[in-house]
Amino acid sequence: MAHREGDRLFEVTVPGADRARLADFSAGTEDPNPIHTDEEFAKAAGFPTVLQQGPMTTAHFARLLAERVGQDRLRWLDVTFTAPVFPEEDLRIEAVVTAVEGDAVTCALTAAKADGTVTAKAEAGFGA
């Protein structure tokens, strides 16, 4: 499929993760940071509750890109986290093509909460 600048690759809402899923993700990724599982620790750090792991958003980006363009075509993904995500918060994730140069396609991705707060921005590249 030929892509053009401005093409929307996807815009989907992924359901928020519950605390059990956050604990499972921490265990599975061997992330020892208690901010993801310990309510008191998260509050002492200034948050109202535990935080979803950033790599969970990265995994959503990668999965959606692989489903849309094919995992064998995905070349790179660079993510910056801009706001915390708390348990049960759905994320609207979208990707838009920003450049096409020969057989290389670049796209911008965002993850945002229901209130519009952008929680992550990314750029990815894949083969056309």
Side-chain angles (χ1 to χ4, degrees):
M1 173 181 184
H3 296 282
R4 294 186 319 220
E5 190 173 324
D7 286 351
R8 183 174 309 280
L9 297 176
F10 53 80
E11 183 174 3
V12 300
T13 298
V14 295
D18 62 19
R19 289 170 186 270
R21 188 164 175 209
L22 297 182
D24 289 345
F25 197 89
S26 283
T29 58
E30 298 181 359
D31 182 348
N33 191 337
I35 204 157
H36 304 302
T37 56
D38 184 326
E39 182 85 17
E40 294 307 314
F41 184 90
K43 286 182 177 181
F47 296 100
T49 188
V50 296
L51 307 178
Q52 175 180 296
Q53 298 86 343
M56 191 177 285
T57 299
T58 302
H60 289 311
F61 284 157
R63 176 184 57 82
L64 291 165
L65 282 168
E67 288 173 358
R68 180 68 174 103
V69 304
Q71 69 183 31
D72 58 324
R73 293 174 55 205
L74 187 57
R75 302 289 183 253
W76 55 272
L77 174 62
D78 183 25
V79 182
T80 300
F81 304 106
T82 56
V85 178
F86 301 108
E88 308 292 341
E89 287 188 313
D90 296 346
L91 292 176
R92 181 181 46 79
I93 298 179
E94 64 181 310
V96 176
V97 173
T98 56
V100 179
E101 297 178 16
D103 66 348
V105 179
T106 303
C107 65
L109 299 98
T110 57
K113 299 180 188 188
D115 68 2
T117 301
V118 174
T119 63
K121 295 178 180 182
E123 190 172 62
F126 59 92

